[in-house]
Amino acid sequence: MHYQKIIIMKVSSTPLSLLLVLFMFISCKQKDTISTAQNSAVKNEIQYATGFEIHKHDGYSIVKVTNPWPEAKKTFSYVLKQKNAIIPDSLMHFTIIPIPIKTIVVTSTTHIPSLEMLGVENTLVGFPNTDYISSEETRKRIEAGKVREVGKNENLNTEVLIEMEPDVIVGFGLSNSNPSLDILQKSGLKVMFNGDWTEQSPLGKAEWIKFFGALYGLDYKANSIFSEIEKEYNTTLALAKKATEKPTILSGAMFQDQWYVPQGESWASLFLKDAHAHYLWADTKGTGGLSLPFEVVLEKAQKAEFWIAPGDFSSLKQMSDSNPHYAQFDSFKNKKVYSYALNKGAKGGILYFEWSPTRPDWVLKDLIKIFHPELLPNHKLFFFQKLE
């Protein structure tokens, strides 16, 4: 499986190879017994994200991951302990992590931007399949042998990780079955789940930088970075409302004999809405991908003005070679097809998968530049490029 993980459009039971055609993609059960007094006395500091909470106390913080994977039936709480802090007995059954941490292993490229923006990328010591990492700064550390290969996310090299003894391993799960992480935790390593990919709101995904800020005692810096992203996003959102027209939008592409389009409540669809565009499946319910026959898509979207994120194609010819019927769409004929697949790292990793969750403001600016160029005349497209 390919774990660049955004997973931009999430379909929890769908192979990630299939998800690439979409746009925008354990431990023993913990008994969560944080006392009512402890929880109610301290306000959750997270505003937009629905999958985690941070509660600060004197000398320690409680990070609670409430949605580690879609439809999760359990939550995970971690106590981040400052030096010399006294942890109440009622919390001692949770994973206790001394902070600030010095070394970390992460398992998704979506975690890399948070480390770099916080200025702690030098603490990264391991990653599964480093070729997927696009960032130039982190690639330099990989080439210098400072970041070790640790297998694949669904089959981590537990022997190497136990030998490395990182302060924290940040993993993610598609379900309750995570044997590699279970082994690592039983060996005494500190394992945390990160559910950034389950978030649907653009700012909700971006707010997970605070998860990493807490691990390094850099809460203030993480809050400051997120506040700037929030400001940029909301300013751009207000600008989009000045648009006088709403162009019609098609998204996705064929996989085998079905066309997969983002559902109306998904991360992808929310971006299109915020960019003041009329996404043709915006009224559908759900946050994953909708499977449709080609004929249904053609009937509804043949006249669509723009086609956004047609899988990982890098040219119109590549698209038509794959499926000649793509040429029947007006957006294809008029060369108004835009893809995230052209902007790649040195080893072929797609930059969009790595950076778009953390920088939704860049995504929104790109879309507004495409749909309403008069509103952002000086913006240069970063993630999306027109297919030629």
Side-chain angles (χ1 to χ4, degrees):
M1 292 179 73
H2 183 283
Y3 279 95
Q4 295 217 69
K5 189 178 78 43
I6 283 337
I7 308 182
I8 304 294
M9 294 291 309
K10 248 67 78 221
V11 184
S12 60
S13 61
T14 304
L16 197 54
S17 58
L18 183 155
L19 293 174
L20 287 179
V21 305
L22 297 174
F23 169 55
M24 45 179 164
F25 271 71
I26 287 193
S27 64
C28 300
K29 186 175 181 181
Q30 295 183 344
K31 188 177 180 183
D32 198 344
T33 58
I34 299 174
S35 70
T36 303
Q38 288 171 326
N39 237 355
S40 61
V42 182
K43 181 182 178 182
N44 172 32
E45 301 200 341
I46 303 306
Q47 300 171 268
Y48 296 91
T50 60
F52 82 115
E53 302 173 359
I54 297 178
H55 300 269
K56 285 189 177 182
H57 298 264
D58 185 18
Y60 66 93
S61 296
I62 298 171
V63 175
K64 185 176 181 179
V65 178
T66 57
N67 197 31
W69 52 80
E71 301 179 3
K73 303 301 183 185
K74 65 170 78 174
T75 63
F76 297 85
S77 293
Y78 311 95
V79 179
L80 309 187
K81 176 183 178 295
Q82 297 174 27
K83 188 176 181 180
N84 299 325
I86 299 174
I87 306 300
D89 290 342
S90 61
L91 300 179
M92 294 304 292
H93 64 288
F94 293 124
T95 299
I96 310 294
I97 300 173
I99 62 167
I101 63 170
K102 302 298 182 185
T103 56
I104 192 170
V105 169
V106 300
T107 53
S108 167
T109 58
T110 62
H111 304 158
I112 303 298
S114 291
L115 299 182
E116 293 190 355
M117 293 176 76
L118 289 168
V120 295
E121 64 273 14
N122 289 343
T123 66
L124 179 67
V125 294
F127 189 87
N129 203 333
T130 56
D131 282 354
Y132 288 140
I133 296 177
S134 302
S135 167
E136 292 184 8
E137 288 302 313
T138 300
R139 288 231 59 86
K140 290 177 184 177
R141 301 195 68 250
I142 294 169
E143 300 305 325
K146 296 177 180 179
V147 180
R148 294 181 65 176
E149 285 277 0
V150 294
K152 298 180 180 179
N153 190 75
E154 70 273 24
N155 188 24
L156 294 173
N157 190 325
T158 54
E159 291 184 5
V160 169
L161 286 165
I162 291 170
E163 175 195 335
M164 290 171 64
E165 292 187 294
D167 291 344
V168 170
I169 299 169
V170 177
F172 69 94
L174 301 178
S175 69
N176 191 35
S177 178
N178 297 277
S180 295
L181 295 180
D182 191 25
I183 291 170
L184 292 169
Q185 194 157 38
K186 288 179 179 178
S187 74
L189 295 179
K190 310 290 187 180
V191 176
M192 298 182 73
F193 277 100
N194 180 296
D196 61 356
W197 65 281
T198 67
E199 299 287 344
Q200 296 306 322
S201 106
L203 288 175
K205 277 188 189 292
E207 197 169 19
W208 278 80
I209 192 173
K210 297 179 182 179
F211 173 96
F212 290 98
L215 289 174
Y216 292 91
L218 295 174
D219 303 81
Y220 179 83
K221 187 172 185 178
N223 290 342
S224 178
I225 292 169
F226 177 74
S227 292
E228 184 60 28
I229 294 170
E230 177 189 27
K231 177 183 175 183
E232 285 295 311
Y233 193 90
N234 287 332
T235 299
T236 307
L237 179 62
L239 181 66
K241 293 179 180 178
K242 296 181 180 180
T244 56
E245 298 181 355
K246 280 190 174 184
T248 50
I249 311 298
L250 164 66
S251 187
M254 294 289 291
F255 180 77
Q256 296 179 349
D257 61 347
Q258 291 289 298
W259 193 304
Y260 290 85
V261 300
Q263 290 180 312
E265 297 171 323
S266 67
W267 189 67
S269 183
L270 292 175
F271 269 119
L272 296 172
K273 177 183 177 182
D274 285 355
H276 204 74
H278 175 46
Y279 173 51
L280 292 172
W281 281 269
D283 60 349
T284 59
K285 301 298 182 183
T287 59
L290 187 63
S291 171
L292 298 169
F294 172 83
E295 294 76 15
V296 171
V297 176
L298 180 64
E299 181 180 2
K300 189 166 186 173
Q302 186 172 13
K303 301 296 183 181
E305 188 172 350
F306 292 95
W307 187 344
I308 300 297
D312 57 354
F313 295 112
S314 56
S315 71
L316 295 176
K317 183 178 184 303
Q318 191 181 49
M319 289 182 67
S320 59
D321 286 349
S322 171
N323 190 329
H325 296 298
Y326 286 151
Q328 297 182 51
F329 292 88
D330 286 0
S331 53
F332 187 97
K333 296 175 185 176
N334 297 328
K335 297 184 177 181
K336 290 188 175 183
V337 183
Y338 289 81
S339 173
Y340 53 64
L342 279 69
N343 198 352
K344 297 181 179 180
K347 294 289 186 176
I350 296 176
L351 210 65
Y352 176 82
F353 291 158
E354 188 167 313
W355 276 89
S356 59
T358 306
R359 293 310 305 249
D361 51 325
W362 295 352
V363 178
L364 187 58
K365 286 178 181 179
D366 271 11
L367 293 175
I368 291 175
K369 177 67 174 182
I370 294 168
F371 304 148
H372 314 291
E374 72 283 358
L375 296 180
L376 284 174
N378 299 320
H379 177 71
K380 183 178 179 181
L381 293 177
F382 182 75
F383 292 120
F384 291 94
Q385 303 294 331
K386 180 186 283 191
L387 294 190
E388 301 294 345

